[in-house]
Amino acid sequence: MGTPDPGFGLHHRVVDGSIILTFRGELDAWADQELSPRIAELLDRPDTDVVVDLRQVTFLDAGGLRLLVRIKGRTLSKQRTLRLVRSSPRVWRVLRITRLDRSFTVLDVMPAALDTPEGCEGNLNRPA
């Protein structure tokens, strides 16, 4: 009997020169391992800003934190702006406890201009 897939996903789109990374499900070590190479490719593009949408994240642990720190490092190395859209209080608590919430520009809601399905480009999902 195999281990059930915990379920995570990444949807990305470009809107007005900003790449929006929308995560879904559990951001853990497995998600970090599976998603990091794809995110590195996406962040090598010439888009200006990066917005990480955490609204659909249901779980966050050290692996997920590592993924967010990698995104931040890659974004800063390209001299781009990074913003996080806040998730549920339970998930956000992990960022607060580790004080990583202080390391990011945090938005309580997705800016209306960026919250559009236009410009959809792709998904990387693992079934729940």
Side-chain angles (χ1 to χ4, degrees), residues 8 28-38 63 66-67 70:
F8 60 83
D28 55 13
W30 188 14
D32 177 36
Q33 177 182 342
E34 292 291 316
L35 298 176
S36 285
R38 180 67 179 134
R66 183 173 45 249
L67 180 63
R70 284 183 190 180

Side-chain angles (χ1 to χ4, degrees), residues 52-103:
V52 175
D53 184 355
L54 299 174
R55 293 177 294 175
Q56 297 178 41
V57 173
T58 58
F59 176 81
L60 181 69
D61 69 2
L65 293 173
R66 183 173 45 249
L67 180 63
L68 294 176
V69 169
R70 284 183 190 180
I71 291 169
K72 180 179 180 179
R74 193 159 197 107
T75 302
L76 290 176
S77 74
K78 302 281 184 174
Q79 299 179 341
R80 297 187 186 149
T81 302
L82 172 65
R83 295 175 285 171
L84 295 185
V85 180
R86 191 183 304 269
S87 60
S88 71
R90 183 177 136 211
V91 170
W92 194 253
R93 184 171 185 252
V94 176
L95 280 152
R96 238 186 25 254
I97 288 170
T98 60
R99 296 186 178 182
L100 282 174
D101 61 331
R102 299 176 184 182
S103 300

